[in-house]
């Protein structure tokens, strides 16, 4: 089945996203992070599983809830936690961040790693990712694009339009619909008659199915099949990953409208816990080995915070000079 | 005809927040006219991101206070259709930045319908939205895009800077038979100001002299009015008496009030948060130089946002938009004091 090192890498990604979000929320409360901050807590398995099925030369495009995608795609590995440092520096608005403090949480991008970027416009990334796939088809390569978006974005016109064009032109794009069942506070049942959103893909002749978005291996398998389909020129594919946020829409939303029993149900199916169990059981790792991975990530996160808080604010003079030249 | 923020004859007013004033305007107009309804994202159950629509769902029910999916282009177009056929929709777009998604419905449809139908069709639609920087919301949630709407014939454009104006102008907007773009400022929602108990409306095209003065005219709107007044207070300490004018509506524009002031002070500073290029300030400057050229004793100064997307980092964000010091410096340049 899966090698222990593969399962370990999956778990490291899951756990890194969890720690990143948890610590950043604390930094937010301390006033070190400002503006909008949308945690990916509870949805870690989708980015971790999906990105693990991609090659280095593939692309992803993300959303306002994008930290998980950026970390998973950034490829935080046993020897390289520099993506984590650049993430923290960017959400703190510092010079050493991914975007030199100009983008912030909602606009993290790293084109050099095939991460086209997060987006502050709901649905904004869907056609852009589809366009990256159009380019791939014109170039004749076998790269693939993963377009991440959520249920709210699925109700924007860009989704059906992009889905249809991807379908008629057989584009190598995997639409990864993270159905966390809310758009801010709007519950999915009130925003559509058909909450099984993958069914929309079927109407466009696109292979579409749902997967447990809290199960990292289930997501990985689904994604692997989808990616293989796309590489054979038989894309697009739509995957609806069912999941649930562990809290409100953003750090300042207590999410009181989320029914307690539903929240508890999903928290009991915690994606990080599930990934941990895979590594213990299928990966046959000891509790001790897992704890040492966790301690390493914890330590790297503290180093990333130190790195970011030491990083200077971008220079206003340089910024104004840039503006002058533009 | 100069109108002060609060009529001198008015009885003592309560002090309420900008967002509360907007809420009152919506509530009163919905009571007054059963054709008025609200549609937007998160406005009903949640009461809006800035709490402007709080309580309206309870009072008027889900048929008239509608939470829409994130389908901006279509629900705005639905507003246009409902307006043409007898309703009075108030469509809310959470950030002016997202009006890019609805531009066809506003620019090609709402703005032109009256004209194209030979005057037979009307579109009594209000688009309520919110703009401006401040708060590190970054490049897609911080823009000042009023020039887009200013440019399009067929639209009225309202940008209130006080709770009093917010209420009176929103009521007028809802009663207007043509499409009105109503742009609030995100930093003003919690600002407090006097608002009378009794009903009032404010006519479009009537500016307000926020501070009378004789040495230099400063024109500013929306979030920049407060900054212009703060600058004027500092200038006063240095013996410079600035007159601050808030046009309140950019279309129609109270040109006469600005011209009368310039004829008096002979110097003009125009302040806009929006980027300099292609902005409303440039257009006001061109109107003034055309009609009051002989009165001007110095080139018209424009203090505007830099030609850049708004950065996330708070220091850069501040550097990108006009600050008090920039307004003071511009006024002194007009007086050849710098
Ligand atoms: C075009 C647009 N409309 C509205 C918003 C405001 N907004 C930000 S996030 C959000 C909810 C998005 O819901 P969904 O797509 O399900 O993503 P999730 O937050 O669940 O990840 C909304 C309405 C926006 N940013 N862009
Ligand atoms: Mg969602």
């Amino acid at each position: 089945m899966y090698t222990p090192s593969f399962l370990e890498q999956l778990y490291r990604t899951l756990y890194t996203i969890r720690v990143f979000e948890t610590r950043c929320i604390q930094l937010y409360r301390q006033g070190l992070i400002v503006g909008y901050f949308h945690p990916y807590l509870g949805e870690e398995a989708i980015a971790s599983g999906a990105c693990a099925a991609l090659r280095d030369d593939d692309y992803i495009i993300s959303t306002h809830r994008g930290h998980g995608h950026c970390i998973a795609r950034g490829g935080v590995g046993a020897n390289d936690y520099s993506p984590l440092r650049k993430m923290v520096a960017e959400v703190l608005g510092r010079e050493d961040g991914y975007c030199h403090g100009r983008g912030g949480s909602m606009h993290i991008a790293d084109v050099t790693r095939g991460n086209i970027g997060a987006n502050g416009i709901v649905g904004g990334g869907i056609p852009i990712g589809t366009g990256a796939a159009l380019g791939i088809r014109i170039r004749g390569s076998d790269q693939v694009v993963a377009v991440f978006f959520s249920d709210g974005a699925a109700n924007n016109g860009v989704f059906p339009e992009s889905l249809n064009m991807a379908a008629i032109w057989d584009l190598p794009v995997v639409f990864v619909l993270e159905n966390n069942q809310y758009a801010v506070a709007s519950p999915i049942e009130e925003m559509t008659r058909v909450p099984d959103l993958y069914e929309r893909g079927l109407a466009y002749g696109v292979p579409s199915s749902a997967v447990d978005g809290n199960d990292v291996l289930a997501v990985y398998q689904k994604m692997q099949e989808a990616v293989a389909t796309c590489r054979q020129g038989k894309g697009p594919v739509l995957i609806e990953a069912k999941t649930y946020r562990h809290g409100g829409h953003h750090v300042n939303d207590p999410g009181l409208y989320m029914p307690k029993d539903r929240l508890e149900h999903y928290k009991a199916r915690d994606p990080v816990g599930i990934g941990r169990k895979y590594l213990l059981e299928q990966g046959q790792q000891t509790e001790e080995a897992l704890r040492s991975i966790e301690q390493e990530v914890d330590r790297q996160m503290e180093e990333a915070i130190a790195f970011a808080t030491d990083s200077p604010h971008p220079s206003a003079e340089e910024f104004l000079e840039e503006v002058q030249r533009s | 005809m100069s109108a002060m923020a609060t009529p001198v004859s008015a009885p003592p007013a309560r002090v309420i927040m900008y967002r509360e004033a907007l809420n009152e305007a919506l509530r009163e107009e919905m009571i007054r006219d059963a054709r008025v309804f609200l549609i937007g994202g998160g406005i009903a159950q949640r009461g809006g991101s800035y709490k402007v629509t709080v309580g309206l769902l309870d009072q008027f029910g889900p048929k008239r206070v509608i939470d829409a999916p994130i389908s901006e282009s279509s629900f705005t177009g639905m507003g246009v259709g409902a307006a043409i056929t007898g309703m009075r929709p108030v469509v809310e777009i959470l950030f002016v930045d997202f009006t890019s998604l609805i531009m066809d419905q506003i620019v090609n449809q709402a703005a032109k319908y009256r004209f194209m139908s030979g005057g037979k069709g009307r579109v009594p639609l209000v688009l309520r939205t919110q703009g401006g920087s401040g708060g590190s919301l970054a490049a897609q949630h911080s823009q000042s895009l009023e020039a887009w709407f200013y440019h399009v014939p067929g639209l009225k454009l309202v940008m209130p800077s006080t709770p009093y104006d917010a209420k009176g102008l929103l009521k007028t907007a809802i009663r207007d038979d043509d499409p009105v773009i109503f742009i609030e400022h995100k930093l003003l929602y919690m600002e407090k100001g006097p608002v009378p108990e009794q009903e009032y409306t404010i006519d479009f095209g009537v500016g307000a002299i926020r501070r009378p003065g004789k040495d230099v005219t400063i024109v500013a709107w929306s979030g920049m009015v407060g900054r212009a007044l703060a600058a004027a207070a500092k200038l006063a300490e240095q013996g410079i008496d600035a007159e601050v004018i808030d046009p309140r509506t950019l279309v129609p524009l109270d040109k006469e009030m600005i011209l009368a002031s310039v004829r008096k002070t002979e110097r003009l500073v125009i302040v806009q948060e929006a980027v300099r290029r292609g902005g409303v300030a440039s257009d006001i400057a061109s109107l003034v130089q055309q009609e009051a050229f002989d009165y001007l004793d110095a080139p018209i100064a424009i203090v505007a946002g830099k030609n850049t997307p708004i950065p996330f980092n708070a220091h850069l964000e501040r550097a990108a938009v006009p600050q008090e010091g920039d307004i003071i410096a511009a006024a002194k340049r007009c007086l050849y004091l710098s």
Side-chain angles (χ1 to χ4, degrees):
Chain A
M1 285 262 293
Y2 298 105
T3 64
S5 70
F6 175 75
L7 293 171
E8 180 182 322
Q9 183 50 33
L10 274 187
Y11 181 60
R12 179 177 284 109
T13 308
L14 286 167
Y15 187 76
T16 304
I17 299 171
R18 174 64 51 94
V19 169
F20 174 85
E21 299 289 38
T22 308
R23 286 293 281 123
C24 283
I25 291 170
Q26 290 165 354
L27 299 180
Y28 197 99
R29 306 262 180 253
Q30 292 166 21
L32 272 166
I33 299 175
V34 292
Y36 279 127
F37 194 95
H38 306 88
Y40 197 59
L41 293 172
E43 306 186 25
E44 294 92 338
I46 306 172
S48 305
C51 289
L54 295 174
R55 281 194 326 228
D56 276 355
D57 63 342
D58 291 331
Y59 294 101
I60 70 158
I61 192 157
S62 170
T63 70
H64 58 283
R65 199 178 301 290
H67 310 142
H69 312 130
C70 294
I71 290 173
R73 180 61 189 176
V76 168
N79 302 315
D80 183 14
Y81 282 85
S82 64
L84 192 60
R85 289 196 283 278
K86 285 188 257 179
M87 285 289 297
V88 182
E90 189 58 35
V91 297
L92 265 72
R94 302 305 170 93
E95 182 58 37
D96 295 299
Y98 268 118
C99 317
H100 307 292
R102 282 143 175 83
S105 159
M106 273 192 300
H107 305 296
I108 294 174
D110 183 10
V111 193
T112 60
R113 284 280 309 164
N115 176 2
I116 305 173
N119 210 308
I121 303 299
V122 172
I126 300 174
I128 299 172
T130 308
L134 179 64
I136 290 169
R137 222 185 94 98
I138 294 169
R139 290 196 300 273
S141 82
D142 70 344
Q143 293 157 285
V144 167
V145 184
V147 173
F148 293 98
F149 62 110
S150 187
D151 49 295
N155 284 330
N156 199 280
V158 289
F159 173 51
E161 291 178 7
S162 300
L163 185 63
N164 186 54
M165 285 187 275
I168 59 175
W169 297 322
D170 307 325
L171 300 184
V173 45
V174 185
F175 295 101
V176 185
L177 203 175
E178 307 178 304
N179 186 353
N180 60 10
Q181 308 173 51
Y182 281 102
V184 190
S186 299
I188 179 87
E189 312 83 49
E190 290 179 26
M191 294 293 124
T192 173
R193 274 194 185 177
V194 185
D196 287 320
L197 294 173
Y198 75 89
E199 291 187 22
R200 295 191 190 177
L202 301 175
Y204 288 80
V206 172
S208 306
S209 57
V211 67
D212 178 353
N214 285 24
D215 181 335
V216 70
L217 280 184
V219 172
Y220 172 73
Q221 275 163 16
K222 220 1 131 204
M223 187 68 181
Q224 233 194 357
E225 291 162 21
V227 167
T229 303
C230 286
R231 291 213 204 283
Q232 291 162 20
K234 296 181 184 150
V237 177
L238 169 62
I239 298 172
E240 179 193 358
K242 306 251 194 204
T243 186
Y244 210 69
R245 299 183 316 229
H246 276 188
H249 173 65
H250 51 48
V251 282
N252 293 323
D253 170 17
L256 300 175
Y257 48 85
M258 301 169 80
K260 273 227 168 58
D261 51 335
R262 266 295 301 268
L263 187 57
E264 286 318 313
H265 166 82
Y266 280 97
K267 278 193 169 171
R269 288 199 48 74
D270 177 29
V272 179
I274 291 171
R276 193 174 200 279
K277 204 155 166 248
Y278 279 133
L279 184 52
L280 274 173
E281 292 173 5
Q282 285 195 30
Q284 299 194 335
Q285 297 298 299
T286 61
E287 210 21 77
E288 231 165 54
L290 261 79
R291 269 203 294 275
S292 97
I293 296 170
E294 289 161 357
Q295 280 161 6
E296 170 67 3
V297 173
D298 291 344
R299 203 175 56 75
Q300 291 290 348
M301 182 64 194
E302 295 317 308
E303 277 184 21
I305 293 170
F307 170 83
T309 46
D310 283 349
S311 172
H313 285 279
S315 144
E317 290 73 37
E318 273 172 34
F319 161 69
L320 291 174
E321 274 168 33
E322 275 165 36
V323 172
Q324 206 70 46
R325 282 197 299 272
S326 69
Chain B
M1 47 169 184
S2 92
M4 301 295 290
T6 311
V8 186
S9 58
R14 308 151 298 154
V15 169
I16 61 174
M17 282 187 271
Y18 187 87
R19 71 172 191 222
E20 293 168 329
L22 291 163
N23 182 279
E24 285 188 1
L26 293 169
R27 193 183 299 272
E28 288 173 18
E29 292 306 299
M30 290 182 80
I31 292 169
R32 179 178 175 269
D33 185 344
R35 298 171 302 174
V36 178
F37 74 94
L38 317 181
I39 187 166
I43 64 167
Q45 290 182 30
R46 209 158 51 96
S49 283
Y50 291 94
K51 299 194 163 70
V52 170
T53 49
V54 164
L56 300 179
L57 173 67
D58 289 343
Q59 186 168 351
F60 301 102
K63 277 192 185 158
R64 291 181 70 199
V65 185
I66 306 170
D67 271 336
I70 309 172
S71 310
E72 284 94 350
S73 176
S74 294
F75 73 66
T76 303
M78 289 164 70
V80 176
I84 291 170
T85 54
M87 302 301 288
R88 300 232 153 208
V90 180
V91 175
E92 176 169 333
I93 297 291
L94 203 49
F95 284 79
V96 77
D97 313 69
F98 312 160
T99 61
S100 53
L101 280 81
I102 63 162
M103 275 308 209
D104 176 62
Q105 292 302 327
I106 296 299
V107 174
N108 286 319
Q109 315 301 342
K112 295 176 175 54
Y113 190 75
R114 176 178 173 182
F115 178 82
M116 295 188 302
S117 68
K120 294 196 185 73
R122 303 298 283 266
V123 188
L125 171 143
V126 178
L127 174 73
R128 265 194 59 236
T129 186
Q130 165 271 123
S133 64
S136 287
L137 301 189
Q140 295 174 336
H141 290 71
S142 304
Q143 296 170 88
S144 299
L145 297 174
E146 62 268 25
W148 287 4
F149 303 101
Y150 184 84
H151 186 68
V152 177
L155 301 176
K156 290 170 185 163
L157 177 55
V158 182
M159 296 188 75
S161 71
T162 67
Y164 177 84
D165 286 358
K167 180 171 180 183
L169 290 168
L170 183 54
K171 285 168 70 82
T172 304
I174 292 170
R175 295 181 197 185
D176 200 285
D177 288 330
D178 294 314
V180 177
I181 311 299
F182 193 94
I183 308 180
E184 297 152 19
H185 195 289
K186 61 172 63 65
L187 294 186
L188 294 178
Y189 286 114
M190 312 276 274
E191 289 289 308
K192 290 183 174 164
V195 174
E197 295 274 4
Q198 76 277 19
E199 169 147 47
Y200 67 98
T201 57
I202 299 172
D203 288 345
F204 288 175
V206 182
I209 298 172
R210 298 291 177 205
R211 181 188 193 284
K214 58 178 184 356
D215 295 334
V216 54
T217 301
I218 304 177
V219 172
W221 54 91
S222 190
M224 288 295 119
V225 174
R227 225 160 271 181
L229 284 168
K234 293 260 169 67
L235 286 166
E237 290 168 13
Q238 301 170 38
I240 299 165
D241 189 18
E243 177 149 296
V244 177
I245 291 184
D246 174 1
R248 308 199 281 190
T249 63
L250 294 177
V251 181
L253 180 71
D254 192 346
K255 208 172 66 177
E256 287 314 318
M257 179 180 282
I258 297 170
L259 288 172
S261 178
V262 169
R263 287 189 193 108
K264 177 173 68 177
T265 65
E266 302 175 335
R267 295 154 213 273
L268 176 61
V269 178
I270 311 169
V271 188
Q272 73 177 14
E273 184 169 351
V275 302
R276 167 77 196 245
R277 207 149 54 208
V280 175
S282 302
D283 196 55
I284 294 176
S286 110
L287 291 172
V288 171
Q289 67 82 21
Q290 204 159 37
E291 302 198 25
F293 184 75
D294 290 340
Y295 291 89
L296 288 169
D297 274 353
I300 297 169
I302 292 179
V303 183
K306 301 286 187 293
N307 294 323
T308 171
I310 300 291
F312 168 66
N313 178 280
H315 301 281
L316 302 194
E317 183 182 31
R318 269 195 297 281
V321 297
Q323 302 298 326
E324 204 179 294
D326 302 319
I327 304 172
I328 293 171
K332 287 168 112 174
R333 264 202 315 281
C334 283
L335 289 152
Y336 302 103
L337 288 173
S338 53

